[in-house]
Amino acid sequence: MTATDPLAVYGEVPLFTLSSTDVTDGSPLSAAQFAAGAGGLERSPQLSWAGFPAGTKSFAVTLYDPDAPTGSGFWHWAVFNIPASVTSLPAGAGAPGGALLPAGAVTLPNELRLTSFIGASPPPGTGTHRYQFIVHAVDVAALDLDPASTPAVLGFNLRFHTLGRAVIEATGAFGGAALHP
């Protein structure tokens, strides 16, 4: 688990544990988590979480690249309304159609306007990027958001409903034809 909360500036909350069989905190992403155009498999990693605060009624999972050369970062994945009884997602849960997501979960359009996980593809000359996988423990069973909203709108709502966070921050650097950060 990351020792720091990259979103603490928006309100400090307790950290809980996030683990994965596919990504490791502080380590480079595997080829599976890179974009197809960058030689990857465009597959969301397996994620498991534990130790979240009492009173958690749902979860949201986001993947954000704060180092994208955009001035606003780059959202790769945003899922919310994951039931509190669900404490893991299998590899590939971010595939188009969301067949591996639990009932009721909603995937928002990412920066490419796709309602699926998009892998890393940092542009040449932009250095090593950080990829922040964050599980948010939410104090309501369902956030009432338009499913066409942006991940930034989700982030705004999470600012007021997050009880705790769990973070894995992996890295990635240019290794081929970059299509997006």
Side-chain angles (χ1 to χ4, degrees):
M1 176 175 75
T2 290
T4 61
D5 179 356
L7 300 178
V9 67
Y10 302 111
E12 289 196 32
V13 295
L15 293 176
F16 56 97
T17 302
L18 178 59
S19 61
S20 175
T21 58
D22 299 319
V23 293
T24 302
D25 191 55
S27 296
L29 292 169
S30 69
Q33 281 74 55
F34 274 83
L41 300 178
E42 205 95 52
R43 185 174 67 219
S44 60
Q46 180 279 334
L47 299 171
S48 296
W49 51 92
F52 45 88
T56 298
K57 296 182 180 171
S58 68
F59 296 101
V61 175
T62 58
L63 172 55
Y64 178 68
D65 171 3
D67 303 312
T70 64
S72 60
F74 194 95
W75 292 97
H76 288 260
W77 194 30
V79 182
F80 68 101
N81 292 351
I82 298 169
S85 60
V86 175
T87 58
S88 66
L89 294 177
L100 297 178
L101 289 172
V106 178
T107 303
L108 294 176
N110 54 39
E111 299 289 352
L112 298 183
R113 306 309 295 153
L114 302 172
T115 53
S116 60
F117 173 92
I118 52 173
S121 187
T126 62
T128 300
H129 291 222
R130 294 168 291 153
Y131 294 91
Q132 298 169 341
F133 295 87
I134 303 177
V135 176
H136 311 258
V138 182
D139 67 357
V140 295
L143 291 168
D144 185 22
L145 299 179
D146 182 331
S149 296
T150 65
V153 170
L154 173 62
F156 175 82
N157 282 272
L158 289 172
R159 161 63 178 90
F160 301 100
H161 291 285
T162 296
L163 298 172
R165 289 185 197 95
V167 181
I168 290 177
E169 186 174 270
T171 60
F174 177 72
L179 302 176
H180 50 78

